[in-house]
Amino acid sequence: MTVRSKDIELLRETLRKELLLSNRARFHLDIRVSTEYPVRVDLMIEEGDKRIIVEFCRTASWDKLSHLLLVKELDKNVSKVILAGRLFPDSILRAAKLLKVGIIQLPDNIFIQKDNLRPRGKLTSEKAWKIILYLFEKGPCSIRSISKSNNISYGWTHGVITNLIARDFVDQNGNLVKITDMQGLLNAVAWERPLKELEKTEITTSFYSTHDLARTLTAWAERRGSTVVMCAYIASTLHFGLGVRSDMVQCYIDDMGTMETVRREFSSEIKNGIKLKIYKPDRNVLDNSLTMDKIRITSKDQTVLDIAGLGYSGRDLLLEMVRSYGANST
C-alpha cells in the first residue's frame, strides 16, 4: 500500500496517539523486515526495544492478516503487529483478537491507495469533466451531492473522485471533497486534451473584426443547415467577458464537406485579415451550444475545457474563468 506524502505526518500523529508512542519513535515506510527473507511491510516503527509492524488497508482482508502473521513468525524481534485501515469485517475483527493482531481505525482523510492502483479514466470525458466543474463551482461537497446534481451514478462519481485523489488534485475530509491542487489539475487536463490536436486548418479571412466574422459565419451556417460553433477565445469573451482576441476566431466544424466549403468561401489573400482556426470536435458540441450576440458558441462548460486545452498560453485566462465559474454558473 502507499500513502500520499501529505498524509504521512497525519498518519504518524494518529499512530503515536493510538500506540502511545513518544516523539522519539522512528517510522520506516515500505521496508524490508529481514535480510534473510524478501518480505516487506508497509510500516515499521522502532522505539527503544519495541518493534511494531503496521499494514495499511482500506478494507481489511485475510491476505493482510496472513501477511502480518507471516512477518511475526519470521521476525522474532517484532513486539506487536497492527492492521490499520478503514473497514473491518466482523470475521476479521474476531480473528485478529484471537491472533493478538492489533486493530487501528484510520481517519477518513488519510487516503490509502493500493500499490497496483494507478489513476485510470480520462479527466476530460464528458462525465468526469462535469464532476470537476461541479467542484470548481461548489467547493467542498459530498460525492453523493455531486452524483445527484449531475445525474451520474454514485459508483461512477466515486471512481472519478478516487482518481482525482490518487493524483493529489483533490483531498477528502470526512464526507467532503475539494480541489487542493488547481494548477496540477489544469495541467493534467491540458496534457490529456490539447486543443491543438483537434485543429484541422487555419485560414486568413477578409474580415477585420472577430465579431463580424463570427456573426457572418453563424448566419452562413444556419442558412445552409450546417454546424459551425465558435469556441475558445470568442466563446470565453461572450460567456465571461474574458479572453478578448482581436486577431483570431476559433470554431468547431464536424462535417468535412462544410469545412472545405468554409475554407474556400472565407479564405482571402489579405495579409492582415482575421485568422480562422477550424477544429474537428471530439464530442457533441452542438446540443448544448447557444447563441449570444448573434454568434453560435459552445456551452460554458465546453468553453472552460477548450481554454484548458490551450495549455500555458491560456493559463491566466483559465484561472480567471475558474475563479468566476461559480458566481457566473447558470
Side-chain angles (χ1 to χ4, degrees):
M1 305 294 287
T2 57
V3 182
R4 297 180 303 182
S5 58
K6 64 183 178 183
D7 287 341
I8 289 175
E9 189 54 41
L10 177 58
L11 181 64
R12 285 195 183 104
E13 290 304 315
T14 300
L15 293 175
R16 282 193 185 104
K17 180 179 179 181
E18 293 287 338
L19 298 172
L20 303 177
L21 301 172
S22 72
N23 290 331
R24 294 189 300 274
R26 292 175 294 163
F27 292 74
H28 309 283
L29 282 165
D30 187 23
I31 188 171
R32 185 168 173 169
V33 295
S34 170
T35 57
E36 187 176 357
Y37 305 109
V39 178
R40 304 183 74 85
V41 295
D42 291 337
L43 175 67
M44 179 193 295
I45 304 172
E46 293 180 309
E47 183 182 36
D49 59 355
K50 289 192 298 186
R51 194 177 191 185
I52 302 171
I53 300 299
V54 183
E55 285 287 295
F56 302 128
C57 59
R58 285 180 294 178
T59 300
S61 67
W62 293 105
D63 285 345
K64 278 289 185 182
L65 191 59
S66 299
H67 185 68
L68 281 170
L69 296 175
L70 173 65
V71 171
K72 188 177 181 182
E73 189 66 26
L74 293 176
D75 188 348
K76 298 304 182 182
N77 294 319
V78 170
S79 309
K80 186 182 296 186
V81 291
I82 302 290
L83 190 56
R86 299 273 187 80
L87 298 175
F88 295 92
D90 181 67
S91 58
I92 289 183
L93 286 175
R94 287 187 281 109
K97 183 177 181 181
L98 180 65
L99 297 167
K100 295 182 172 51
V101 173
I103 296 292
I104 291 180
Q105 184 79 45
L106 291 177
D108 289 341
N109 53 348
I110 294 180
F111 182 73
I112 303 297
Q113 178 182 330
K114 289 182 180 178
D115 287 332
N116 61 357
L117 179 66
R118 296 292 181 267
R120 293 184 298 173
K122 297 186 67 174
L123 299 179
T124 59
S125 71
E126 293 187 49
K127 287 183 180 179
W129 186 240
K130 281 184 179 181
I131 290 168
I132 291 170
L133 286 173
Y134 192 85
L135 288 171
F136 285 161
E137 179 186 353
K138 300 297 184 182
C141 53
S142 70
I143 296 176
R144 190 165 298 282
S145 69
I146 301 172
S147 170
K148 288 183 176 180
S149 298
N150 291 281
N151 196 27
I152 300 171
S153 74
Y154 181 85
W156 212 96
T157 304
H158 188 276
V160 172
I161 295 298
T162 299
N163 185 5
L164 292 168
I165 292 173
R167 299 187 189 203
D168 276 346
F169 301 147
V170 165
D171 202 3
Q172 181 170 7
N173 188 359
N175 291 327
L176 300 180
V177 293
K178 66 176 181 178
I179 295 173
T180 53
D181 184 2
M182 181 71 73
Q183 287 280 6
L185 175 55
L186 296 177
N187 286 341
V189 170
W191 179 265
E192 184 177 289
R193 187 184 180 269
L195 197 59
K196 181 73 175 174
E197 288 191 358
L198 303 178
E199 184 179 333
K200 291 299 179 183
T201 189
E202 177 183 318
I203 63 174
T204 302
T205 72
S206 60
F207 291 78
Y208 290 100
S209 162
T210 55
H211 278 62
D212 192 14
L213 171 58
R215 290 191 194 102
T216 302
L217 190 52
T218 297
W220 176 88
E222 289 176 352
R223 287 196 304 271
R224 289 173 48 90
S226 301
T227 301
V228 178
V229 182
M230 310 310 138
C231 62
Y233 284 115
I234 197 164
S236 172
T237 301
L238 292 172
H239 278 301
F240 298 94
L242 302 167
V244 177
R245 286 287 297 262
S246 60
D247 61 338
M248 180 174 62
V249 170
Q250 296 145 296
C251 72
Y252 282 116
I253 300 178
D254 191 28
D255 176 61
M256 295 303 294
T258 301
M259 199 179 297
E260 288 301 318
T261 304
V262 168
R263 188 208 303 267
R264 185 176 62 252
E265 295 293 330
F266 284 81
S267 290
S268 171
E269 299 298 324
I270 296 176
K271 292 183 178 180
N272 297 322
I274 300 296
K275 305 288 187 192
L276 178 65
K277 282 184 182 286
I278 301 176
Y279 303 99
K280 185 172 177 59
D282 60 343
R283 63 198 65 203
N284 186 344
V285 298
L286 178 63
D287 285 355
N288 292 320
S289 66
L290 65 158
T291 300
M292 296 180 69
D293 197 19
K294 299 181 180 180
I295 300 171
R296 173 65 62 179
I297 59 173
T298 51
S299 67
K300 186 177 289 187
D301 293 2
Q302 183 64 44
T303 300
V304 178
L305 179 61
D306 290 339
I307 296 297
L310 293 173
Y312 288 106
S313 63
R315 184 51 43 85
D316 290 341
L317 168 61
L318 179 61
L319 290 173
E320 286 297 321
M321 291 168 65
V322 168
R323 276 192 281 267
S324 66
Y325 189 86
N328 295 328
S329 184
T330 56

